[in-house]
Amino acid sequence: MKKIIKLVFAIAFTALAACNKNESAKTPAQKNDSLQLASPVTCTATKADVEAIPIFPSTNAWNQDISALPVDPYSTQIIAKYAATGLHPDFGSGTYDGETMGFPFTVVCGSQAKVPIVFRANDVDDNYGDESDPGPYPVPLNAPVEDGGDAHVIVVDKDNHILYELYNANVNGNHWEASSGAVFNLNSNALRPEGWTSADAAGLPIFAGLVRYDEVLKGEIDHAIRFTLQRGNTLNSHILPARHNGNGSGIPHAALPFGARLRLKAGFNISGFPPHIQTILKAFKKYGIILADIGSNMYISGSQDERWNNDELALLHQVKASDFEVIKFNN
């Protein structure tokens, strides 16, 4: 992150505010030369900046209030196999088993240089280049990569309101390589083509479903949250807003398709939890959680952030799958 520099001249002043990640520091000679023009000022981009831009329109499925929607008639049956499983916040501060926790994301300016994206297969996954948005993407070569096998990279262009996401990514020289990539206009409700994956198995944006520290800090989460289930608890199908099937092995009336939603029951008492956790639980009641990928049961996705209090997040284990209900979908 670079700081905005203001140069004040004796007669007049000019404030230069341009996004340029290649700013170089002035030499002492330059500082003393009143005729020397200032080098371009860099754009300041922070994680908090995304709280000031739309993460999809208010009419988007991620931002839908589902608190009054009907419960699926098979809700109890669907959840039965993992009913006693507590929520697991798959994010936090620090490391666990040597790996950072949660999804890192990078915020950039509209002038961030774009680099090529090469879509390729390796021994981790296939090449989904034919279901990916072509590069180049404005992903800095030093952007953090999610620890673990999925190796996601997430970048938000705060000026143009564009989200870029890569799956199974790594830097190779002057470009990124990945198994798949997706670009989302945060001002639009447009979905990916039917049948296309994204950086997420369900063809959904990952960033839209993360619990982010700065929104918890302000006391409100205004969107649904991403979660995962084991393969046997998912169907090999999807419903909107998902666009892509997983390879679930579950059976109808006892498993969920990608895109399905759970809602924390209205009567669940949240009063005994600390304020930050109450904020998360309120979102579960109002917006729910959306099934987006195969993984461990009831793993809740959030951003990697050193400000998280892991002891507080651990209190989410007290909330069980049986405290949720399935929002009605076409079985």
Side-chain angles (χ1 to χ4, degrees), residues 182 184 191-192 196-205 241-244 258 292:
F184 297 92
L191 299 173
R192 294 183 64 67
W196 277 31
T197 188
S198 61
D200 216 354
L204 293 167
R243 305 299 278 168
H244 187 260
F258 279 169

Side-chain angles (χ1 to χ4, degrees), residues 7-14 33-35:
L7 297 177
V8 181
F9 294 89
I11 299 175
F13 70 92
T14 302
D33 184 355
S34 61
L35 298 178

Side-chain angles (χ1 to χ4, degrees), residues 149-180:
D150 284 352
H152 290 104
V153 173
I154 299 173
V155 169
V156 181
D157 178 340
K158 74 180 186 69
D159 296 326
N160 295 312
H161 301 175
I162 305 293
L163 170 65
Y164 299 85
E165 298 185 340
L166 297 172
Y167 162 66
N168 193 26
N170 65 275
V171 171
N172 186 354
N174 67 345
H175 66 275
W176 283 92
E177 296 188 354
S179 292
S180 66

Side-chain angles (χ1 to χ4, degrees), residues 17-259:
C19 292
N20 181 353
K21 72 184 184 68
N22 294 318
E23 181 193 30
S24 58
K26 281 189 171 186
T27 65
Q30 289 173 328
K31 292 178 181 178
N32 294 329
D33 184 355
S34 61
L35 298 178
Q36 176 68 40
L37 292 177
S39 59
V41 180
T42 62
C43 171
T44 300
T46 69
K47 286 184 176 181
D49 287 335
V50 299
E51 306 310 324
I53 66 175
I55 308 301
F56 299 116
S58 60
T59 54
N60 192 274
W62 283 100
N63 305 322
Q64 180 185 8
D65 181 347
I66 63 163
S67 58
L69 293 184
V71 177
D72 194 277
Y74 296 97
S75 177
T76 301
Q77 184 174 320
I78 289 170
I79 294 175
K81 287 196 296 184
Y82 49 96
T85 301
L87 298 184
H88 178 83
D90 197 21
F91 58 97
S93 61
T95 60
Y96 180 78
D97 284 345
E99 295 184 347
T100 54
M101 298 183 289
F103 288 88
F105 67 91
T106 301
V107 183
V108 300
C109 301
S111 64
Q112 173 67 39
K114 294 185 177 182
V115 297
I117 308 294
V118 175
F119 295 108
R120 46 83 179 126
N122 60 17
D123 57 0
V124 176
D125 214 335
D126 292 330
N127 180 352
Y128 295 99
D130 60 343
E131 296 178 17
S132 296
D133 296 308
Y137 291 10
V139 181
L141 295 179
N142 63 348
V145 180
E146 177 200 19
D147 279 339
D150 284 352
H152 290 104
V153 173
I154 299 173
V155 169
V156 181
D157 178 340
K158 74 180 186 69
D159 296 326
N160 295 312
H161 301 175
I162 305 293
L163 170 65
Y164 299 85
E165 298 185 340
L166 297 172
Y167 162 66
N168 193 26
N170 65 275
V171 171
N172 186 354
N174 67 345
H175 66 275
W176 283 92
E177 296 188 354
S179 292
S180 66
V183 179
F184 297 92
N185 182 344
L186 295 176
N187 294 324
S188 170
N189 284 332
L191 299 173
R192 294 183 64 67
E194 172 61 27
W196 277 31
T197 188
S198 61
D200 216 354
L204 293 167
I206 295 171
F207 183 77
L210 298 183
V211 180
R212 305 186 303 271
Y213 185 84
D214 283 297
E215 61 182 346
V216 172
L217 189 64
K218 71 181 181 182
E220 182 183 16
I221 296 174
D222 56 3
H223 59 85
I225 308 300
R226 176 187 187 272
F227 85 108
T228 64
L229 289 174
Q230 291 178 352
R231 192 179 314 281
N233 297 320
T234 69
L235 300 170
N236 187 23
S237 61
H238 66 276
I239 60 173
L240 293 175
R243 305 299 278 168
H244 187 260
N245 292 350
N247 54 355
S249 58
I251 60 175
H253 310 319
L256 291 172
F258 279 169

